[in-house]
Amino acid sequence: MEARLCLIFFLLPILSFLSLSDAHDLQIVNAERRIDLTSHIVKVFLTFKVENTGTSPASEFLLAFPPAQADHLALVKAAVATGKKKKKTYIPLDVNPTELPDAPNGAKFASISLKNPLNAGETATFEVLLELTHSLEPFPAEISQSESQLVYYHDSAIILSPYFIKQQTTFIKTPSTRVESFSRVDPTNRVGTELKYGPYADRAPYSFSPIIIHFENNNPFAVVEELVREIEVSHWGSLQITEHYKLAHAGARHKGVFSRVEYQSRPTISGISSFKHLLALLPPRVHSVYYRDEIGNISSSHLRSDSRKSELEIEPRYPLFGGWKATFVIGYGLPLQDFLFESPDGRRYVNFSFGCPLLETVVDKLTIKVVLPEGSQDPSAEVPFPVEQHLETSYSYLDVVGRTVVVLEKTNVVPEQNTPFQVYYTFKPFFMLAEPLMLASAFFLFFVACVAYLHMDFSISKS
Amino acid sequence: IRNGGKSDSVNGHKSGSNQSPSLKSDLISPTMFNLKTLKLKTKQQELLIRVTILCLVYVLAFITRLFSVLRYESMIHEFDPCFNYRTTLFLTQKGFYGFWNWFDSESWYPLGRIIGDTLYPGLMVTAALMYWTLRFLRFAVHIREVCVLGAPFFASNTTLVAYFFGKEIGDLGFRGRPCGSCTDSDLPWLHLEIRSYDNEGVAIFALLLTFYLFVKAVNTGSLAWALASAFGYFYMVSAWGGYVFIINLVPLYVMVLLITGRYSMRLYVAYNCMYVLGMLLAMQIRFVGFQHVQSGEHMAAMGVFFLLQVFYFLDWVKHMLSDTKLFQAFLRITVTTAVVVGVVALGALQLGISHHGRAASTLLLDPTYAKDHIPIIASVSEHQPTAWSSFMFDFHSLLFLFPAGLYFCFKRLSDATIFLVMYGLTSMYFAGVMVRLILVATPAVCLISAIAVSATIKNLTRLVRAKNKVPSTGSSKGASSTKSSSKASLDQSLPFQRNGAIALLVGAFYLLSKYATHCTWVTSEAYSSPSIVLAARGAYGNRVIFYDYREAYFWLRQNTPPDAKVMSWWDYGYQITAMGNRTVIVDNNTWNNTHIATVGRAMSSYEDEAYEIMRSLDVDYVLVVFGGVTGYSSDDINKFLWMVRIGGGVFPVIKEPDYLVNGEYRVDKGAAPKMLNCLMYKLSYYRFGELMTEYGKPPGYDRARGVEIGNKDVKLEYLEEVFTTSNWIVRIYKVKPPNNRW
């Protein structure tokens, strides 16, 4: 048994070397990484300058992630910048997760399809944005009301990559100057809120050098554990949206006493990591907004709207401390013409934004239910990123056959993913009349029955 | 006899219908000229107008109850309705059998409560049926909406029943406008119920329905109506404990009819059918069960039932025995045996009666009983004797119309009016004893006053119409001649008679419209402010609303372990279970006095003693309501003496004088030492001493009581503060686990 294990361990590097041989055609000339730790969503900006040192043109570039990071990876975006500084425009590139069967230590990959295959000897520059959620680990895990929140961030000082990297630097930005500790991988330098790792030269593929940064982060760790958005389409002119939130503070857990005196009298020190406001960005021309929960209306909300956007500021019933939860529902109506269109092939489609309208929040599990009007057929959804889809039937007022519901599910959603998606379907306008006709005939029958009753004699004995 | 009954009823109807068209045409005389062109027959006109008025009143009765829904929200906020809502929700989710067999472990920890056996399910079943029907008709309503709008809906139905009741009584000519006024005047009592998705909402409907059907049965002697009234009674029993009122009033009424010599076959049929069937049906409700034949409250009905049989039997014997002497001898023997048997039976039954649950009804007969013996009943504000002002507030002009109505009732005595008079008088008595029972009295007061109004208007319009043919000057002088008009009505030939009548009519309408305004005002101001949302005036005169209760309940719901047990005074029990979804030690169903006393004892003990009690009850959290910051006066400190009394009633360790200084209850420096250090004081004022509540006052100034508190340095050893709402109204403490011994 042991011998076999040894053999496997011995073989692994060789195998990986063989399979990745084509990857070695590329090498990274210069890599710069900027990690933004100011909020609870970790944003990593990578700039790669890649050179093809092989003989054949390369059309793919691989990004590697340690498995721990891959689980928290919410978003990978790549783009090529063209033009000079002022007229800089970004052309997005396709990114697809890929599996390499023999990746070392379970590393995960995403492949970026380059727009033009990189010929031998050519270089290309592109930028990558990664967003990681739940990557800041609170330490101490439990804090009292007067303490501020300290978190760990784990990463590698050297960019994990299947390619040889000639030169690389990493900048890490922390929210405040209070950094308890950080690992040193020389050269390491700290100025103000910025930590600099590197430059490091000539690192072999899959080099890894773990670092830990322990710093203060009092930003609201607002995590929506579950969000169900129901978008109900009515061809009578409105789009009704109902959003069910399960909000939690995912930072360091609150321990012990919650004192209202302290919280009220010393707002700057007391409960500094807690939050009590949230801002939701809603589409313009929103109407009949409500904000409530299972036990009734929550009074504390403000709506500001102008022609471009509406901002809804909400306050949960109580300030959220670490580990505290709040569930609530936000609902609003929108004019249909802003969101329902007819496609050239005669089908209709709803164009609405994916993701959570709350700013700076992570959604662990997002379910979008598009409730199409009764009688609509052939629904299909187009979403810019992979989601799980299935169909359901729901019943609302006066429904007989039920409404088709397109259900889209995605985990780990970040605000960057608030991009539009479309649901196509066919619908005959006649169905709009079905329900009014039903009501009218029901009333008609009722009155006919009344008339009939008044004109008939039901008595048993003739008197 | 049967024939007689029938002819009687026919007569009654005839007289009614004879008068109504004439009255009708009088009342609509101003509009007559317009209507003439339409060429409707008088009867059609009458029907049209009556239906229209009824519909309008129905709608009005519904919408006046929507004040709180519109002003606040569609929500269940009161104490009892919270429980009703929770059980209804359970019923719709688990089905009827699940509901019937429900053992609720979330309340009365660790005892629990068998819901199916300890509640009147009428309301929940009604709401659930409405919900299921709407669902079946594809109306995707939420059960909460059904519950919130169910109360106004039933109030409207009650007005409808009241109209029919009035019509049934009305050989007085209740038609058209009087009916409108009658139903108009129903407004206030229905307003009383507005706040609640509560038992009473359905119960008043059922009560009036039963009375209406019973009176109808007595009037017609028909088995069908008696049967219907038995079912009405069943519905009432299933809805509210107040059914005892019916089962005592109806026999009393029968007794009075017997005494006044109005015994008839109609009465015999109606009562027997109603009582026997009603009893059998009522026993199907598990909360009532065999009490219906065992407990003293129901004995009167049974006694009257036997009495009726005796009456009938005597009638029969009298019919058989032609000799009067023989009959008298027979009578003597039967009466003696009957009395002996009755006494023995009653004694035997009394032994088997449990005395539980009779406190509230004992209170009705002896208003001072509770004050001396059962603090828990006396502590409920709903059980207080009614203040004179609240009569005035609720009834307004009806208070003066009521005696007038009684006069008219006596003037035209019939079986139905006797019933109404008795209903009015008894319920007025009960309303005087207990605030809550104003509810029961209102329909009677409304009906009787409506009789007064309709009779007055009828007489006046007759005067106006009689003089109509004679050309006369305008009514401008009318106002000056009001005084003379009363005399004028006596003497047909007096001048200004018509003017006087018109003036009085105008006055009556003015009174009625004033009354309607008052009702609307009462509804919107007094009965539409939910107790869970507190409103106050801010410093700049703006309205400030405190959502603290729900803030706390929601916090409990979200941030405590699902099996946490919360100890609070029993007032908040239902709300904590319904809104906070957590187990409570005691709640508003005050069935176990000892348990409540234990909580009262814990609240009034020193912290270490209280800790022992709380440990033994497995308490995880303690919730207190505190109004010192906002000036909210019905908080736990103000209720505290009741806790002491109730606690002391069971545990003599707790003595009320310990908390008082010279018989005075105070919380400032001069307070009793035990008061300053008991758990309730500590929990209410923990860290309050650091807070500035009002400008120019020392820190720790209690705004609810207007004093600076006596113990500003409150230290807690066994509990810790875990949550206080933004206005400090609700404070929640966690009971610490025991210290490590090493």
Side-chain angles (χ1 to χ4, degrees):
Chain A
M1 187 66 192
E2 247 174 45
R4 202 184 292 171
L5 269 177
C6 280
L7 188 69
I8 291 171
F9 277 115
F10 176 70
L11 280 176
L12 259 174
I14 301 177
L15 281 171
S16 62
F17 178 77
L18 285 174
S19 66
L20 293 174
S21 59
D22 62 325
H24 283 255
D25 291 349
L26 293 175
Q27 74 165 10
I28 299 169
V29 182
N30 190 4
E32 188 195 271
R33 180 169 63 158
R34 289 181 179 276
I35 302 176
D36 183 358
L37 299 179
T38 49
S39 82
H40 70 126
I41 302 171
V42 176
K43 297 190 183 81
V44 182
F45 302 92
L46 291 154
T47 314
F48 290 114
K49 191 176 182 193
V50 185
E51 183 184 11
N52 190 349
T53 52
T55 46
S56 54
S59 61
E60 275 195 336
F61 177 82
L62 287 176
L63 292 169
F65 311 102
Q69 210 176 50
D71 294 342
H72 297 307
L73 193 66
L75 174 89
V76 186
K77 262 188 179 175
V80 177
T82 54
K84 292 283 175 230
K85 266 189 180 170
K86 286 259 169 102
K87 296 176 192 166
K88 218 172 184 181
T89 49
Y90 288 94
I91 302 164
L93 300 174
D94 282 347
V95 184
N96 292 307
T98 41
E99 290 281 321
L100 294 188
D102 39 13
N105 295 327
K108 298 281 192 299
F109 295 90
S111 82
I112 299 174
S113 318
L114 301 180
K115 206 152 55 76
N116 305 313
L118 202 60
N119 291 322
E122 278 182 354
T123 57
T125 307
F126 51 85
E127 293 176 13
V128 177
L129 168 69
L130 309 178
E131 288 199 1
L132 300 165
T133 59
H134 298 286
S135 298
L136 300 179
E137 180 202 340
F139 187 86
E142 289 193 338
I143 54 170
S144 69
Q145 192 179 350
S146 54
E147 291 173 281
S148 72
Q149 179 173 268
L150 298 173
V151 292
Y152 277 143
Y153 176 67
H154 302 261
D155 205 337
S156 160
I158 295 158
I159 301 168
L160 186 73
S161 171
Y163 308 107
F164 181 82
I165 307 179
K166 268 190 170 168
Q167 185 162 14
Q168 59 177 313
T169 331
T170 296
F171 301 93
I172 298 178
K173 196 177 172 220
T174 54
S176 69
T177 52
R178 187 175 168 199
V179 177
E180 296 285 300
S181 67
F182 56 96
S183 319
R184 290 190 170 271
V185 181
D186 282 324
T188 305
N189 190 18
R190 181 180 155 221
V191 180
T193 61
E194 197 171 74
L195 272 168
K196 185 180 174 192
Y197 283 92
Y200 307 113
D202 297 337
R203 295 295 164 139
Y206 300 115
S207 300
F208 195 81
S209 158
I211 52 169
I212 296 181
I213 304 160
H214 193 201
F215 61 100
E216 180 190 48
N217 189 340
N218 283 321
N219 279 303
F221 276 41
V223 172
V224 180
E225 292 179 335
E226 203 179 332
L227 170 60
V228 180
R229 301 183 85 193
E230 253 179 51
I231 300 157
E232 198 176 327
V233 183
S234 159
H235 278 237
W236 288 97
S238 108
L239 204 63
Q240 187 61 43
I241 290 109
T242 319
E243 295 168 349
H244 301 261
Y245 290 86
K246 263 191 197 166
L247 184 74
H249 188 300
R253 295 184 62 82
H254 176 72
K255 147 182 100 173
V257 174
F258 165 70
S259 167
R260 181 64 73 170
V261 179
E262 303 265 324
Y263 186 75
Q264 280 174 341
S265 57
R266 286 180 277 276
T268 46
I269 344 165
S270 180
I272 189 166
S273 67
S274 69
F275 60 92
K276 60 179 196 179
H277 297 279
L278 287 167
L279 196 66
L281 280 188
L282 304 179
R285 302 218 279 155
V286 64
H287 62 85
S288 13
V289 182
Y290 62 85
Y291 169 47
R292 57 180 298 147
D293 58 24
E294 291 113 308
I295 60 170
N297 187 36
I298 309 172
S299 60
S300 42
S301 57
H302 305 281
L303 180 71
R304 290 180 291 268
S305 52
D306 55 38
S307 58
R308 282 173 295 112
K309 63 177 191 306
S310 309
E311 280 182 347
L312 177 69
E313 191 185 319
I314 55 173
E315 265 178 49
R317 287 192 187 272
Y318 39 84
L320 282 175
F321 279 78
W324 287 12
K325 291 177 179 162
T327 56
F328 55 88
V329 179
I330 297 177
Y332 46 93
L334 290 166
L336 191 67
Q337 64 266 30
D338 295 2
F339 300 94
L340 187 73
F341 305 97
E342 200 161 351
S343 68
D345 59 354
R347 295 201 296 168
R348 286 149 212 276
Y349 67 94
V350 184
N351 186 33
F352 204 72
S353 80
F354 200 85
C356 166
L358 294 181
L359 290 183
E360 285 292 309
T361 41
V362 173
V363 183
D364 287 349
K365 185 172 186 295
L366 172 66
T367 310
I368 292 190
K369 295 183 172 180
V370 183
V371 184
L372 300 174
E374 199 178 21
S376 46
Q377 281 160 339
D378 313 322
S380 66
E382 274 185 24
V383 190
F385 29 79
V387 289
E388 276 189 32
Q389 293 187 17
H390 63 271
L391 294 180
E392 274 177 7
T393 312
S394 82
Y395 293 90
S396 181
Y397 286 92
L398 299 173
D399 283 349
V400 180
V401 291
R403 303 177 181 215
T404 316
V405 183
V406 181
V407 184
L408 310 171
E409 282 175 359
K410 184 166 176 17
T411 53
N412 211 0
V413 184
V414 286
E416 283 290 322
Q417 280 157 332
N418 284 2
T419 48
F421 72 99
Q422 293 81 33
V423 173
Y424 289 86
Y425 63 96
T426 54
F427 181 77
K428 291 197 183 69
F430 169 74
F431 283 103
M432 282 171 73
L433 294 177
E435 284 170 5
L437 283 180
M438 255 166 62
L439 272 184
S441 46
F443 274 104
F444 179 70
L445 286 178
F446 173 72
F447 287 127
V448 165
C450 284
V451 170
Y453 175 78
L454 286 179
H455 283 262
M456 268 181 247
D457 186 9
F458 288 98
S459 60
I460 301 168
S461 59
K462 300 283 170 208
S463 56
Chain B
I1 290 167
R2 194 155 287 240
N3 281 339
K6 264 189 183 167
S7 65
D8 239 24
S9 70
V10 166
N11 283 339
H13 270 272
K14 262 187 185 162
S15 60
S17 50
N18 276 343
Q19 287 176 359
S20 57
S22 60
L23 174 62
K24 186 76 260 141
S25 47
D26 299 340
L27 287 175
I28 54 167
S29 52
T31 50
M32 257 312 246
F33 310 109
N34 303 335
L35 286 173
K36 251 178 193 167
T37 51
L38 288 173
K39 298 271 178 199
L40 278 172
K41 276 183 243 158
T42 327
K43 197 155 189 191
Q44 281 174 324
Q45 281 177 15
E46 190 199 333
L47 186 75
L48 182 70
I49 289 181
R50 197 184 301 166
V51 169
T52 318
I53 288 180
L54 260 191
C55 287
L56 283 177
V57 165
Y58 193 84
V59 172
L60 186 69
F62 189 82
I63 57 174
T64 43
R65 273 155 199 84
L66 297 183
F67 272 116
S68 86
V69 175
L70 294 180
R71 197 172 297 162
Y72 296 93
E73 54 187 294
S74 159
M75 200 56 227
I76 309 276
H77 1 61
E78 300 309 301
F79 297 116
D80 284 9
C82 269
F83 171 76
N84 296 333
Y85 174 60
R86 178 165 159 252
T87 44
T88 313
L89 202 64
F90 190 90
L91 172 60
T92 51
Q93 282 164 356
K94 301 279 165 68
F96 188 70
Y97 284 99
F99 174 68
W100 212 224
N101 297 321
W102 181 17
F103 179 80
D104 179 21
S105 54
E106 286 206 343
S107 57
W108 293 95
Y109 184 85
L111 309 170
R113 175 180 175 190
I114 306 160
I115 297 286
D117 278 3
T118 56
L119 93 174
Y120 294 102
L123 176 71
M124 296 89 194
V125 173
T126 310
L129 281 179
M130 270 156 65
Y131 173 71
W132 285 326
T133 314
L134 286 173
R135 280 270 158 178
F136 176 75
L137 293 174
R138 297 286 182 218
F139 287 98
V141 290
H142 192 274
I143 182 71
R144 188 187 57 240
E145 262 87 59
V146 176
C147 294
V148 168
L149 298 180
F153 174 66
F154 265 92
S156 301
N157 290 345
T158 317
T159 42
L160 214 59
V161 175
Y163 164 73
F164 283 111
F165 197 11
K167 199 175 151 194
E168 187 56 36
I169 290 166
D171 37 28
L172 292 161
F174 268 127
R175 301 294 193 269
R177 176 67 189 134
C179 115
S181 77
C182 142
T183 22
D184 250 349
S185 50
D186 292 341
L187 290 174
W189 108 68
L190 303 160
H191 297 168
L192 295 177
E193 301 151 41
I194 175 172
R195 33 214 205 120
S196 45
Y197 164 59
D198 209 346
N199 287 337
E200 283 90 337
V202 172
I204 297 298
F205 167 72
L207 179 92
L208 213 57
L209 185 69
T210 314
F211 284 161
Y212 161 60
L213 292 170
F214 184 71
V215 168
K216 186 110 183 163
V218 172
N219 275 350
T220 57
S222 136
L223 258 184
W225 288 113
L227 188 73
S229 80
F231 274 100
Y233 176 64
F234 171 59
Y235 189 47
M236 175 72 192
V237 175
S238 75
W240 195 35
Y243 75 89
V244 177
F245 180 61
I246 299 186
I247 205 62
N248 283 310
L249 178 64
V250 169
L252 193 66
Y253 166 63
V254 174
M255 273 298 281
V256 169
L257 284 194
L258 290 184
I259 291 167
T260 50
R262 285 174 170 265
Y263 171 75
S264 68
M265 201 58 197
R266 292 174 285 120
L267 183 68
Y268 183 79
V269 168
Y271 183 73
N272 282 344
C273 177
M274 190 263 173
Y275 176 67
V276 173
L277 264 174
M279 176 180 69
L280 288 177
L281 286 170
M283 284 164 72
Q284 306 309 309
I285 304 296
R286 274 159 64 183
F287 195 21
V288 178
F290 278 96
Q291 263 189 54
H292 205 284
V293 285
Q294 286 178 344
S295 93
E297 296 152 12
H298 304 82
M299 282 305 125
M302 194 181 271
V304 169
F305 172 68
F306 287 123
L307 197 67
L308 265 185
Q309 311 311 317
V310 170
F311 242 80
Y312 187 64
F313 179 68
L314 287 183
D315 247 18
W316 178 73
V317 169
K318 201 175 182 183
H319 181 70
M320 297 302 267
L321 302 173
S322 41
D323 187 7
T324 20
K325 242 182 199 164
L326 210 60
F327 177 68
Q328 270 175 3
F330 171 79
L331 200 64
R332 212 167 296 138
I333 298 164
T334 359
V335 166
T336 346
T337 24
V339 165
V340 170
V341 169
V343 165
V344 168
L346 208 67
L349 278 171
Q350 281 288 349
L351 290 178
I353 295 166
S354 68
H355 286 264
H356 165 74
R358 288 176 57 205
S361 33
T362 319
L363 181 65
L364 286 181
L365 299 178
D366 177 10
T368 53
Y369 177 72
K371 214 168 163 188
D372 306 330
H373 296 93
I374 319 163
I376 191 144
I377 289 188
S379 75
V380 182
S381 61
E382 276 183 340
H383 292 167
Q384 303 302 324
T386 317
W388 180 239
S389 62
S390 79
F391 266 118
M392 191 60 217
F393 185 67
D394 284 337
F395 291 140
H396 196 240
S397 55
L398 292 194
L399 218 49
F400 306 109
L401 291 172
F402 181 67
L406 284 182
Y407 164 75
F408 281 112
C409 281
F410 275 114
K411 212 172 158 193
R412 277 164 245 242
L413 220 49
S414 72
D415 289 359
T417 45
I418 290 178
F419 184 84
L420 196 60
V421 167
M422 294 192 50
Y423 174 30
L425 291 178
T426 45
S427 62
M428 268 312 240
Y429 167 70
F430 289 134
V433 172
M434 226 192 238
V435 173
R436 184 155 73 138
L437 293 180
I438 285 195
L439 269 182
V440 178
T442 331
V445 175
C446 291
L447 282 170
I448 292 177
S449 322
I451 287 177
V453 171
S454 88
T456 317
I457 291 180
K458 198 180 84 182
N459 291 339
L460 289 175
T461 44
R462 185 175 291 158
L463 280 181
V464 174
R465 202 172 59 114
K467 282 276 177 174
N468 223 1
K469 297 150 198 165
V470 186
S472 150
T473 50
S475 59
S476 54
K477 288 181 198 164
S480 59
S481 62
T482 332
K483 208 176 172 186
S484 63
S485 65
S486 51
K487 278 185 212 158
S489 62
L490 293 174
D491 194 345
Q492 293 287 328
S493 58
L494 271 177
F496 304 127
Q497 191 183 40
R498 182 168 173 271
N499 293 343
I502 286 173
L504 277 183
L505 257 186
V506 169
F509 279 115
Y510 176 74
L511 199 65
L512 284 179
S513 62
K514 260 284 172 246
Y515 174 64
T517 329
H518 172 78
C519 286
T520 318
W521 178 79
V522 165
T523 329
S524 79
E525 290 299 317
Y527 294 118
S528 296
S529 43
S531 70
I532 198 159
V533 183
L534 308 169
R537 295 262 164 234
Y540 306 105
N542 51 333
R543 214 158 85 115
V544 183
I545 295 184
F546 301 131
Y547 285 85
D548 286 45
Y549 275 110
R550 279 189 285 179
E551 186 182 336
Y553 296 145
F554 205 64
W555 185 86
L556 275 179
R557 188 187 187 110
Q558 297 282 325
N559 300 311
T560 55
D563 60 345
K565 289 101 194 164
V566 183
M567 182 172 94
S568 71
W569 191 233
W570 60 266
D571 295 18
Y572 318 108
Y574 276 165
Q575 286 185 343
I576 294 172
T577 21
M579 295 198 175
N581 199 16
R582 291 294 174 266
T583 308
V584 293
I585 307 294
V586 290
D587 67 23
N588 308 41
N589 177 263
T590 51
W591 64 275
N592 189 328
N593 192 29
T594 315
H595 216 47
I596 290 179
T598 313
V599 172
R601 182 186 174 187
M603 291 294 190
S604 40
S605 306
Y606 293 122
E607 196 188 351
D608 48 346
E609 294 161 9
Y611 185 65
E612 291 300 316
I613 299 170
M614 291 188 292
R615 291 287 306 161
S616 69
L617 286 174
D618 260 1
V619 175
D620 297 306
Y621 293 92
V622 184
L623 182 147
V624 294
V625 172
F626 172 63
V629 176
T630 47
Y632 170 56
S633 61
S634 53
D635 65 348
D636 278 347
I637 288 285
N638 280 359
K639 290 176 186 168
F640 183 60
L641 272 191
W642 286 112
M643 300 181 203
V644 173
R645 274 175 209 153
I646 292 169
V650 177
F651 305 101
V653 206
I654 306 295
K655 295 181 199 71
E656 193 178 332
D658 291 353
Y659 300 87
L660 303 174
V661 178
N662 301 328
E664 200 185 341
Y665 179 65
R666 50 201 297 187
V667 294
D668 57 358
K669 280 212 174 60
K674 182 135 196 194
M675 177 72 208
L676 291 179
N677 288 297
C678 69
L679 186 70
M680 176 51 75
Y681 190 93
K682 279 185 157 188
L683 296 188
S684 291
Y685 292 120
Y686 179 64
R687 301 201 68 178
F688 181 67
E690 302 167 30
L691 193 76
M692 285 285 286
T693 50
E694 226 172 284
Y695 183 73
K697 291 278 176 1
Y701 178 76
D702 184 333
R703 295 178 66 191
R705 283 152 287 271
V707 288
E708 187 185 349
I709 60 166
N711 182 358
K712 285 193 190 172
D713 187 31
V714 176
K715 290 269 185 299
L716 288 175
E717 194 179 342
Y718 299 100
L719 294 121
E720 61 182 9
E721 183 187 11
V722 285
F723 190 72
T724 298
T725 56
S726 45
N727 297 303
W728 289 58
I729 290 180
V730 184
R731 310 194 71 182
I732 301 172
Y733 294 83
K734 188 180 179 176
V735 181
K736 285 187 195 165
N739 282 333
N740 272 339
R741 272 172 233 195
W742 305 104

